[in-house]
Amino acid sequence: MHRLLLLGCLWLLAAPPASSIFQRPTGTPAPLHLQYLLEPLHPTVHTQRGATATLPCVLRALPHNYRVKWSKVEPANYRENIIIITNGLYHKNYGPLSPRVRLRHSHRYDASLTITDVALEDEGRYRCQLVNGLEDESISLTLHLEGVVFPYQPSNGRYKFNYHEAKQACEQQDSRLATYQQLYKAWTEGLDWCNAGWILDGTVHYPIINSREPCGGRLLLPGVRTYGARDKQKDRFDAFCFTSALQGQVYFIRGHLNFKEAGQACRNHGAAIAKVGQLYSAWKFSQLDRCDGGWLADGSVRYPITTPRQRCGGLPDPGVRSFGFPSKEMRTYGTYCFVG
């Protein structure tokens, strides 16, 4: 009986009505290796931090006693972490994503995954797997966050972080270690940096636009140069951090403040002194543009420029400029505050 029902479903699929939700665009052949799952038209879903994103997974037919399992591939250890399992009637959530995920279920064939309040760590590759007895098949999708990559080093100089310290440093600045794909995209958009830094998978790289002697020599072509995988405990480099859109606002308070006074000035306004990642995000997504150097939470002094001009550092490209880490007792700068 079950076999007859399945054959009936497949026969209907072979000749769908014009209004069928499974109708593929003209000229788009159905992949032969998938019997039950539809190949997604757009395998990459673009979103920003704080948004709601849906990863599509739609069935052609409903096998008897099937299960759909969603999982995420973690680039740091290449393991798959289960997110949700459903049999079409019931489902169970797993792991840290559990409070923020649900099945869309817009119709009985829909097993799409919806993620609310998207976080930085949600970016990556996801797998929707259909398990049907001894048979299984799956599709892969990528959740891509729009954002910005920035190099980061501590106040005591370059090449001070092992991998775990680099990871923690980025997280303290409202960001996370960048993936290789994020670093590569940043290079194509103009990131040129001579110091090597950790990325999320434990490898070390540096992006070069303009080949020059201190950065591997003039004869090497531009590109993302690599040191490969390094010892996460012993080897020390800088970090490449990634951040996305803010759920809040960064603004500047003018004054001649030392670091302690800068923090108090922000608190007096019901805000907190901004983190480095928050300033980069405001520069990238809100076009924050100021010539004024201001204290940030890590003790550095920086200012964001979206329209380059001679009196604001003289550099030809937009960016977040840095005065480094001056003495915290200096009463020279204003402060950048963040209010959520």
Side-chain angles (χ1 to χ4, degrees):
M1 180 66 179
H2 294 145
R3 185 179 179 187
L4 288 174
L5 286 173
L6 179 58
L7 288 173
C9 290
L10 292 176
W11 180 85
L12 287 172
L13 181 62
S19 62
S20 169
I21 60 173
F22 303 123
Q23 188 174 8
R24 301 184 66 82
T26 304
T28 306
L32 298 177
H33 64 288
L34 291 177
Q35 183 179 1
Y36 294 109
L37 296 176
L38 282 173
E39 189 80 19
L41 291 176
H42 303 289
T44 299
V45 175
H46 296 265
T47 188
Q48 294 181 354
R49 177 168 55 177
T52 296
T54 297
L55 299 168
C57 184
V58 178
L59 281 65
R60 300 168 179 273
L62 301 178
H64 186 61
N65 291 331
Y66 75 95
R67 288 181 298 137
V68 171
K69 179 176 73 173
W70 276 99
S71 57
K72 184 174 187 288
V73 181
E74 298 297 342
N77 53 26
Y78 302 103
R79 295 178 59 183
E80 283 199 21
N81 293 331
I82 297 175
I83 300 171
I84 195 168
I85 296 178
T86 181
N87 63 0
L89 297 175
Y90 307 100
H91 69 273
K92 184 172 182 179
N93 294 16
Y94 297 86
L97 266 173
S98 181
R100 296 188 290 114
V101 296
R102 57 181 170 82
L103 294 170
R104 184 174 62 180
H105 268 327
S106 59
H107 51 80
R108 61 194 295 249
Y109 297 92
D110 186 13
S112 302
L113 182 74
T114 295
I115 305 173
T116 61
D117 194 18
V118 171
L120 294 177
E121 59 269 21
D122 296 342
E123 170 150 316
R125 187 161 64 90
Y126 291 75
R127 191 158 77 109
C128 177
Q129 180 182 16
L130 183 138
V131 180
N132 176 31
L134 297 177
E135 299 177 289
D136 63 36
E137 58 190 49
S138 65
I139 58 171
S140 290
L141 301 108
T142 298
L143 185 66
H144 172 76
L145 269 70
E146 301 294 341
V148 57
V149 172
F150 60 94
Y152 188 74
Q153 59 183 225
S155 59
N156 57 342
R158 72 171 194 161
Y159 294 176
K160 300 297 183 181
F161 294 135
N162 67 23
Y163 172 81
H164 305 287
E165 292 164 344
K167 185 173 181 291
Q168 183 180 31
C170 288
E171 291 168 357
Q172 288 173 344
Q173 296 308 314
D174 192 49
S175 59
R176 73 189 297 246
L177 278 176
T179 65
Y180 181 82
Q181 290 77 11
Q182 290 165 344
L183 181 62
Y184 184 88
K185 184 174 185 290
W187 168 72
T188 66
E189 294 171 349
L191 181 60
D192 182 281
W193 197 255
C194 211
N195 294 349
W198 293 102
I199 63 172
L200 187 58
D201 64 3
T203 57
V204 174
H205 309 266
Y206 63 103
I208 294 296
I209 298 288
N210 302 307
S211 299
R212 50 203 186 272
E213 287 304 328
C215 307
R218 297 180 182 275
L219 298 180
L220 284 179
L221 293 174
V224 178
R225 312 259 174 86
T226 180
Y227 287 5
R230 311 298 291 190
D231 189 308
K232 291 183 178 181
Q233 293 287 353
K234 297 179 181 178
D235 290 326
R236 295 188 174 271
F237 297 94
D238 291 345
F240 286 105
C241 304
F242 171 84
T243 192
S244 185
L246 281 176
Q247 294 180 282
Q249 179 187 7
V250 172
Y251 62 92
F252 181 75
I253 294 179
R254 188 182 300 276
H256 297 284
L257 309 170
N258 63 29
F259 178 71
K260 184 177 180 180
E261 291 167 342
Q264 187 59 53
C266 291
R267 290 191 291 274
N268 290 344
H269 286 76
I273 188 168
K275 299 177 180 180
V276 177
Q278 291 167 341
L279 185 65
Y280 268 93
S281 180
W283 166 74
K284 174 75 172 180
F285 292 99
S286 302
Q287 289 74 53
L288 185 63
D289 183 289
R290 287 204 69 102
C291 260
D292 306 279
W295 292 103
L296 295 176
D298 66 340
S300 65
V301 172
R302 306 174 195 248
Y303 62 102
I305 297 295
T306 56
T307 305
R309 49 217 187 263
Q310 192 61 38
R311 66 183 184 87
C312 299
L315 296 176
D317 299 316
V320 175
R321 320 281 196 235
S322 175
F323 289 135
F325 294 85
S327 168
K328 291 184 176 180
E329 302 304 316
M330 289 181 62
R331 285 189 168 91
T332 308
Y333 305 103
T335 183
Y336 288 97
C337 304
F338 171 75
V339 60

